Amino acid sequence: MFDIDRWQEIFDTIAKNKLRTFLTGLSVASGIFILVILLGFGRGMENGIRKEFEGDATNLLYIWTQTTTKEYKGLNPGRRIHLNNENYEHIIAANGDKIEYRSGVFRVPFGTTVNYKNESVSYGVWGVHPDYQQIENESMVSGRFIDQMDLDQNTKVVVISNKIKRELLNKVEDPLTEYLQISGINFKIIGVYSDAAGEREEDRVFVPFTTAQGVFNGADRINNLAFTMKPEKDFETAVKESLRFAEEIKQYLKETHKISPDDDAAVHVNNVIEDTKRFYTLTSSIAFFFWFVGICTIIAGVVGVSNIMMIIVKDRTREIGIRKALGAKPWSIIGMILQESIFVTAVSGFAGLIFSMGLLEIVGPNIEVDYVLNPSVDFSIAMTMVVVLIVAGALAGFIPAWRAANIQPIEALRDE
């Protein structure tokens, strides 16, 4: 007699198992998807931070002074400390074997006008040494940068940026034949530069350091000192040497200008390589966190696969008992369960991989966020993750499969 209730129960069980399998597969796919997206975002942060530091040398030390805050040797606090040419020459003489590039910076006072014919604009006017081109990573679009002869002869020459050329000399075919007036004094344009950091760093014109001091009443004063360290054998050594060099500079300047040793407000040293290390350590920590979150998500999916296989084995107890009664070997039962477990993890894993990689390919190049650039994931790493996931899925299905293989046919046929 046809038992409609029994068949309805069988159909309901099959539907429930299919739904459970689908949801488990969705969990596995979402785990891979989340991991790939997180790793892509981590790579994007590394790319963004690397690009930010490309604008300047990463082994740069930038020195400037401000006002003293403590009394020292009978001198009252509140003294304004000024760097000078003697400080610059002494640091170079004492540390020539450590320094790769060096430059003083004399910034012409704010409000200086730059004129070209009837056009008048306010730009930063900086007197620098020839090495400043390497320190700021300026690439020459045309002409040349300031050289030693310009310093020796106090020549009135100027290097402008691409942005300034476009804004002030947009109708001029060859700017190297033109002159700019800076505070009413003619300077011949000798070069056009482009800054790796972008147009936000192109609101400056550069003139020879000695010319800036002489023409604009700078005497022997310097606003900033900039040095880059020679390359070291590894990053840790470079950081250690830069910290030691920075401390030596601070100690020398404090002794020379009679500043209290514990007055940290009067002399400042911006150690870019230390900042670089801090940022890269941060990105490594974030990447580790992303791996941890993604792997935990995948583990949850794999545990789900194991649980669903246990439920499927329980619901198919009678079927397994019949198979064993008809002569099915234990390993064939194990293979049947493992095959389904591997199928679920493989299909889900590849689905999550394809969707996440596709999303990164489409959306990644269009992301324009500070410190995030072109998030992406190496395809070989992504494939390795999927293979590991499939192996984990096989292991997750082994326990339910082993249980199925040990079901006794008589007990299975009695199961309701």
Side-chain angles (χ1 to χ4, degrees):
M1 182 177 178
F2 183 76
D3 189 347
I4 188 170
D5 292 334
R6 179 58 178 170
W7 282 102
Q8 183 64 45
E9 181 182 347
I10 293 173
F11 287 139
D12 289 344
T13 300
I14 293 173
K16 288 178 182 179
N17 286 339
K18 294 297 182 184
L19 179 61
R20 292 191 189 106
T21 303
F22 172 76
L23 293 176
T24 302
L26 189 63
S27 174
V28 174
S30 65
I32 285 289
F33 175 82
I34 291 171
L35 179 56
V36 171
I37 294 297
L38 289 177
L39 293 181
F41 186 75
R43 176 65 63 85
M45 289 187 64
E46 290 182 13
N47 295 339
I49 290 172
R50 189 176 294 110
K51 182 173 177 59
E52 288 292 324
F53 282 105
E54 281 177 0
D56 301 312
T58 55
N59 55 348
L60 171 66
L61 283 90
Y62 211 67
I63 301 102
W64 71 98
T65 54
Q66 291 182 313
T67 304
T68 59
T69 59
K70 297 184 179 182
E71 183 274 337
Y72 185 64
K73 292 186 176 180
L75 299 172
N76 293 327
R79 288 182 297 125
R80 184 69 172 87
I81 304 300
H82 295 283
L83 297 169
N84 55 49
N85 292 344
E86 183 182 347
N87 299 149
Y88 176 68
E89 297 297 338
H90 175 86
I91 293 172
I92 293 173
N95 302 279
D97 59 328
K98 308 170 190 173
I99 298 171
E100 183 179 24
Y101 299 113
R102 67 279 182 95
S103 177
V105 177
F106 177 77
R107 294 196 301 274
V108 177
F110 180 77
T112 303
T113 57
V114 178
N115 299 79
Y116 175 72
K117 296 183 178 179
N118 296 325
E119 297 289 333
S120 178
V121 186
S122 181
Y123 293 119
V125 180
W126 290 22
V128 296
H129 290 81
D131 283 357
Y132 202 75
Q133 179 185 358
Q134 285 75 32
I135 291 173
E136 282 289 322
N137 199 12
E138 315 287 19
S139 58
M140 299 308 298
V141 178
S142 61
R144 65 175 178 84
F145 201 73
I146 293 159
D147 61 22
Q148 188 60 42
M149 186 177 294
D150 295 323
L151 268 66
D152 294 339
Q153 298 179 359
N154 294 339
T155 55
K156 294 181 178 65
V157 295
V158 61
V159 180
I160 66 174
S161 68
N162 248 339
K163 178 182 178 182
I164 294 173
K165 175 181 177 295
R166 187 175 63 253
E167 293 178 350
L168 206 58
L169 295 91
N170 60 326
K171 296 180 180 179
V172 176
E173 184 175 345
D174 183 10
L176 303 185
T177 62
E178 301 296 320
Y179 285 80
L180 291 183
Q181 279 194 340
I182 303 175
S183 292
I185 301 171
N186 286 329
F187 283 76
K188 180 176 173 53
I189 300 173
I190 60 170
V192 179
Y193 73 88
S194 173
D195 195 290
E199 288 194 351
R200 69 177 183 273
E201 297 290 336
E202 292 187 4
D203 285 325
R204 302 170 294 179
V205 299
F206 298 119
V207 300
F209 179 79
T210 52
T211 304
Q213 283 187 327
V215 171
F216 300 105
N217 301 318
D220 70 339
R221 291 185 177 181
I222 301 177
N223 295 106
N224 307 98
L225 300 175
F227 302 102
T228 61
M229 305 287 291
K230 288 183 178 178
E232 297 290 346
K233 59 183 179 180
D234 56 63
F235 192 73
E236 292 298 327
T237 303
V239 173
K240 182 179 178 180
E241 286 299 314
S242 68
L243 290 174
R244 187 167 63 84
F245 183 38
E247 192 57 37
E248 288 178 3
I249 291 175
K250 280 186 177 181
Q251 184 177 350
Y252 159 71
L253 292 176
K254 286 182 178 181
E255 290 175 356
T256 302
H257 293 278
K258 295 182 174 58
I259 302 169
S260 173
D262 58 349
D263 188 349
D264 295 326
V267 179
H268 296 270
V269 178
N270 180 23
N271 192 344
V272 176
I273 195 169
E274 189 178 13
D275 294 338
T276 306
K277 180 185 178 183
R278 189 177 299 113
F279 273 107
Y280 278 108
T281 301
L282 175 63
T283 56
S284 298
S285 300
I286 292 173
F288 175 79
F289 175 73
F290 286 167
W291 272 104
F292 177 76
V293 172
I295 290 174
C296 286
T297 307
I298 291 176
I299 290 174
V302 170
V303 171
V305 171
S306 179
N307 290 337
I308 193 63
M309 289 298 106
M310 292 288 286
I311 294 171
I312 289 174
V313 167
K314 185 176 185 305
D315 290 340
R316 296 173 64 180
T317 300
R318 289 176 63 83
E319 175 193 340
I320 293 170
I322 293 172
R323 286 175 179 269
K324 295 193 72 175
L326 294 175
K329 301 295 184 183
W331 281 109
S332 68
I333 302 296
I334 292 175
M336 179 182 68
I337 303 300
L338 285 182
Q339 183 178 7
E340 187 167 348
S341 175
I342 293 172
F343 178 79
V344 170
T345 52
V347 171
S348 303
F350 280 112
L353 173 66
I354 293 170
F355 187 53
S356 57
M357 293 289 286
L359 186 62
L360 287 176
E361 285 292 323
I362 296 171
V363 178
N366 300 315
I367 292 179
E368 297 182 1
V369 182
D370 289 341
Y371 296 105
V372 178
L373 175 67
N374 192 24
S376 59
V377 174
D378 187 275
F379 185 73
S380 61
I381 295 177
M383 281 298 299
T384 301
M385 290 188 297
V386 174
V387 171
V388 171
L389 175 65
I390 294 172
V391 173
L395 294 175
F398 184 76
I399 295 176
W402 184 259
R403 179 188 174 192
N406 287 286
I407 293 176
Q408 298 299 321
I410 294 178
E411 295 179 3
L413 293 174
R414 290 176 182 170
D415 184 71
E416 290 296 335

